[in-house]
Amino acid sequence: MGTIVPEMGTIVHLTAIPREYREAISAALVADLGQTHRAIKTAMRWTGASERTVKYWMSAERGPSGEHLIALARHSDAVFITLLVMAGRIERESDSLDPDDRRR
């Protein structure tokens, strides 16, 4: 008779993070930084994330969350604008980011 070991751990389904989000952030990173190794190193420096993690973001295989997303938005205008568009705070990239202009 063998010992039964319970299955441990969490299974993360990529569908939990919408594909549109992953693709939009990836496109913003590539537009802002390019697809070079230097771009990966730059995003690593901005966020403190590992090289593999940044490669996942840039290939849209996974998307940044929490602190990493905030750090990317802090350093990258393209990511910041993409985030605002996806949140419905502005309609297009060409819309004004000045809150005073939105009140008029």
Side-chain angles (χ1 to χ4, degrees):
M1 185 139 348
T3 305
I4 298 175
V5 179
E7 188 175 318
M8 303 292 282
T10 303
I11 297 173
V12 178
H13 299 283
L14 291 180
T15 56
I17 301 174
R19 168 172 273 152
E20 297 83 24
Y21 165 74
R22 296 188 318 250
E23 290 174 352
I25 297 299
S26 172
L29 282 172
V30 169
D32 202 19
L33 299 174
Q35 291 186 306
T36 64
H37 190 67
R38 185 176 190 176
I40 293 167
K41 293 291 187 182
T42 299
M44 287 171 58
R45 193 171 46 253
W46 287 350
T47 62
S50 71
E51 182 175 356
R52 182 72 252 162
T53 298
V54 173
K55 286 180 177 180
Y56 280 141
W57 298 341
M58 295 185 91
S59 68
E61 205 168 316
R62 297 203 169 99
S65 61
E67 294 174 1
H68 290 146
L69 181 60
I70 292 169
L72 289 172
R74 182 180 298 124
H75 292 282
S76 168
D77 290 339
V79 172
F80 179 65
I81 291 170
T82 299
L83 184 60
L84 290 176
V85 169
M86 293 185 77
R89 300 299 297 209
I90 58 175
E91 292 181 18
R92 297 180 311 274
E93 291 182 18
S94 62
D95 287 351
S96 174
L97 297 178
D98 185 4
D100 293 333
D101 290 346
R102 289 181 61 117
R103 292 187 195 128
R104 291 184 195 149

